[in-house]
Amino acid sequence: MSDTDLQDQQPTPPSGEKLQKVLARIGVGSRRDVEAWISQGRIKVNGVEATLGLRVDLHDAITVDGKLIKRVEAAEATRRVIMYNKPDGEICTRDDPEGRPTVFDRLPRPKEGRWINIGRLDINTTGLLLFTTDGELANRLMHPSYEMDREYAVRVRGEVDDDMVDRLKAGVMLEDGPAKFTDIQKAPGGEGFNHWYHCVVMEGRNREVRRLWESQGVVVSRLKRVRFGPVFLNSDLPMGRWREMSQGEIDILAAEVGLQPVALPEMKLKAKDKLERLQRKSSRPLGRGERVRTLRPAGEGQSERPARAPREDAAPRKGGRGSTVAERPSEMRKRPARPDGDKPTGRGRGREKPRG
């Protein structure tokens, strides 16, 4: 058999790119979102209902819920990232049939693409949420294979002993499979049967932190996410406010999941001034009329809240606001040197203390 015959028998590589990857890259949604929409029959390609694994190219017309998606294919995705300090009472969805406030209500509208939430927090959980216009970045940060650790400040009600902590770190069986904390540290604050802990999980399963503690017979009375991977929530970002991350911070975050740096899109002076005004407004605490309804466990009264412990690092800061994104320890991963202007602060610096 000739070489030509052998070449003729080689399978032809599939043309185009997977539909969910295309829509994620241009910011329509994360890959996980798009796969769910395909299964629900919400996406059509050239008028035909799409299927999982379908490949498309520039000549294909893609619609989501009947709306044609405009595609301007670029060599690089637009990659913007904002961090948001979520209050309780908000839900992680764009539209709610019950009319409840959502985490998207306060965010600025991006000129290109739309904000994709990187993971979710339930309605009663507060703290750090990340949003990006880059679907591939969102997908990698949420995918279990990249093992992005999530750290929570949690107040539990009940007796917690060393054996319970050891069980939670070794792993317990939940209804959806085994789960565990990779780290648990007791934190200052709390009194009586109320105790504060910082705990870390490697997955983003639904209500995982609450269910882990409740499996040991204690009740979670407050829960706040204070870190996602290398990104820390600190006191510079009041509850209910957002901040756009800098080029250096985004590059560190992208490097965590093996993505090359992408330059932030250039902005016209008018658009830049508008964004800066929005950010200055978002750096202020919420006004009285802006506050959402606070949800608390039944039977928990205001009198049970002890006074907030004084900060150990209460000395006035020098200079401007520090970075909230930290490099990983050198023994875990090596990073190329960065210019001094993009050098982040130390890993735990500026973290907001839990309220006792």
Side-chain angles (χ1 to χ4, degrees):
M1 185 178 293
S2 67
D3 291 341
T4 303
D5 293 334
L6 288 173
Q7 292 175 0
D8 291 340
Q9 292 181 6
Q10 294 295 323
T12 304
S15 61
E17 193 175 10
K18 286 188 177 181
L19 175 60
Q20 60 264 37
K21 188 173 182 179
V22 170
L23 293 183
R25 188 175 65 251
I26 62 178
V28 174
S30 69
R31 288 198 205 180
R32 187 179 301 178
D33 290 336
V34 175
E35 288 170 356
W37 298 341
I38 292 172
S39 300
Q40 295 162 8
R42 296 172 56 187
I43 301 181
K44 292 184 178 181
V45 177
N46 301 324
V48 180
E49 195 170 293
T51 56
L52 288 171
L54 180 67
R55 291 176 177 268
V56 296
D57 58 31
L58 279 171
H59 302 289
D60 293 311
I62 305 171
T63 59
V64 178
D65 295 332
K67 182 179 179 181
L68 181 65
I69 301 299
K70 296 180 180 180
R71 283 190 287 163
V72 180
E73 297 287 348
E76 302 279 8
T78 299
R79 182 180 296 161
R80 295 173 62 189
V81 182
I82 57 176
M83 50 192 300
Y84 177 60
N85 190 351
K86 175 191 174 299
D88 49 10
E90 291 184 354
I91 58 174
C92 293
T93 186
R94 292 183 185 277
D95 300 296
D96 179 51
E98 300 178 30
R100 293 172 295 184
T102 81
V103 294
F104 293 93
D105 291 344
R106 302 181 195 275
L107 304 187
R109 182 173 297 179
K111 184 178 180 181
E112 299 179 31
R114 65 177 184 170
W115 296 119
I116 303 166
N117 47 307
I118 301 171
R120 291 175 169 82
L121 296 175
D122 67 50
I123 191 170
N124 293 309
T125 302
T126 66
L128 178 63
L129 267 178
L130 299 179
F131 298 83
T132 181
T133 55
D134 183 351
E136 181 61 23
L137 176 63
N139 179 69
R140 294 196 183 194
L141 288 170
M142 289 186 287
H143 201 281
S145 64
Y146 288 95
E147 298 184 336
M148 297 300 293
D149 43 352
R150 291 101 161 145
E151 182 175 346
Y152 292 81
V154 54
R155 188 175 71 182
V156 297
R157 185 183 300 156
E159 283 292 342
V160 178
D161 56 25
D162 292 341
D163 289 340
M164 182 187 297
V165 171
D166 290 340
R167 287 194 297 272
L168 289 170
K169 292 170 70 175
V172 299
M173 183 61 67
L174 302 179
E175 58 269 24
D176 55 351
K180 67 178 181 178
F181 292 123
T182 58
D183 190 27
I184 303 175
Q185 298 291 333
K186 199 169 191 319
E191 60 181 15
F193 282 100
N194 291 311
H195 308 280
W196 276 102
Y197 290 88
H198 276 253
C199 49
V200 178
V201 292
M202 302 298 291
E203 298 179 278
R205 288 153 63 179
N206 185 40
R207 297 175 62 84
E208 183 178 11
V209 175
R210 293 181 186 275
R211 291 188 291 136
L212 275 166
W213 283 106
E214 289 167 359
S215 73
Q216 304 302 302
V218 296
V219 176
V220 173
S221 57
R222 290 191 64 189
L223 183 62
K224 179 176 186 176
R225 184 153 72 191
V226 295
R227 179 170 64 87
F228 189 104
V231 183
F232 288 86
L233 180 68
N234 63 27
S235 56
D236 289 335
L237 190 65
M239 187 172 288
R241 298 305 194 188
W242 58 269
R243 178 177 76 79
E244 182 151 10
M245 291 168 61
S246 69
Q247 181 74 65
E249 292 172 327
I250 296 173
D251 290 350
I252 292 173
L253 185 60
E256 283 285 324
V257 290
L259 292 176
Q260 296 298 315
V262 173
L264 284 168
E266 293 185 6
M267 301 179 68
K268 294 182 178 179
L269 183 59
K270 185 176 180 180
K272 188 175 181 180
D273 288 343
K274 181 179 179 181
L275 181 63
E276 288 177 352
R277 287 198 305 273
L278 288 172
Q279 291 213 173
R280 285 195 298 271
K281 179 181 178 182
S282 188
S283 67
R284 298 195 298 268
L286 287 174
R288 182 178 298 175
E290 295 180 282
R291 293 193 182 278
V292 297
R293 181 170 61 92
T294 299
L295 305 180
R296 302 197 182 281
E300 181 179 357
Q302 288 294 106
S303 60
E304 294 181 322
R305 295 179 62 187
R308 182 185 299 184
R311 292 178 60 95
E312 296 177 1
D313 56 347
R317 296 186 181 185
K318 296 181 180 181
R321 173 186 298 170
S323 170
T324 55
V325 180
E327 287 276 22
R328 294 294 194 181
S330 57
E331 64 271 15
M332 294 180 64
R333 285 178 193 166
K334 293 182 179 179
R335 293 278 185 260
R338 286 186 170 80
D340 291 340
D342 284 340
K343 184 177 180 181
T345 59
R347 190 161 191 251
R349 193 173 302 165
R351 181 188 301 167
E352 186 176 21
K353 300 286 186 183
R355 287 182 289 181

